[in-house]
Amino acid sequence: MSVFLEGCHRGSIRKAMLRDHFKLIYDVYQDRFSLYDLEADPGENHNVYGTPQAPAGIAEMEQDLLRWTKQSLAMMGARVAQGEALDISPEIRQQLKDMGYVQ
């Protein structure tokens, strides 16, 4: 089972996925992943993405997170385009525009 999370950090949209004891984070604006073993590193201090500590199923996790990210951004963009009030910063609104989700 996977749990999906989203938020903003330092002006960038971040999407995350929890599976087993790993947390995969995707920084949308920087197009970059990070991965944390929450069992060994609950403070998320040591990024194990691209290291031997990464789980064997990391490629599947990436695909699942990217698929959900695309759907989530499209829905967020549609809500912004329709004029719905969302609690997002001007920077995030501009990022959605830059990525083509809002005109």
Side-chain angles (χ1 to χ4, degrees):
M1 182 175 100
S2 300
V3 176
F4 293 92
L5 313 160
E6 62 187 343
C8 301
H9 182 72
R10 296 185 181 167
S12 185
I13 300 170
R14 290 196 175 176
K15 305 289 184 173
M17 176 177 144
L18 300 174
R19 184 176 290 169
D20 298 324
H21 55 91
F22 286 94
K23 181 178 183 181
L24 180 64
I25 301 170
Y26 179 62
D27 186 312
V28 174
Y29 199 65
Q30 295 184 14
D31 190 28
R32 181 172 58 193
F33 287 101
S34 54
L35 177 70
Y36 298 94
D37 180 341
L38 299 178
E39 192 171 87
D41 178 24
E44 299 178 23
N45 296 308
H46 304 287
N47 182 2
V48 297
Y49 184 79
T51 71
Q53 290 84 15
I58 189 67
E60 181 183 338
M61 288 178 70
E62 288 175 11
Q63 290 173 354
D64 291 347
L65 181 55
L66 288 175
R67 186 178 314 109
W68 177 75
T69 296
K70 185 175 181 177
Q71 293 170 349
S72 174
L73 291 174
M75 288 188 303
M76 184 186 292
R79 289 179 64 193
V80 170
Q82 292 173 3
E84 289 186 39
L86 296 177
D87 188 22
I88 59 174
S89 69
E91 293 87 5
I92 299 301
R93 190 176 301 270
Q94 184 62 47
Q95 287 179 25
L96 288 169
K97 187 175 183 178
D98 293 346
M99 290 183 283
Y101 290 102
V102 177
Q103 291 186 348

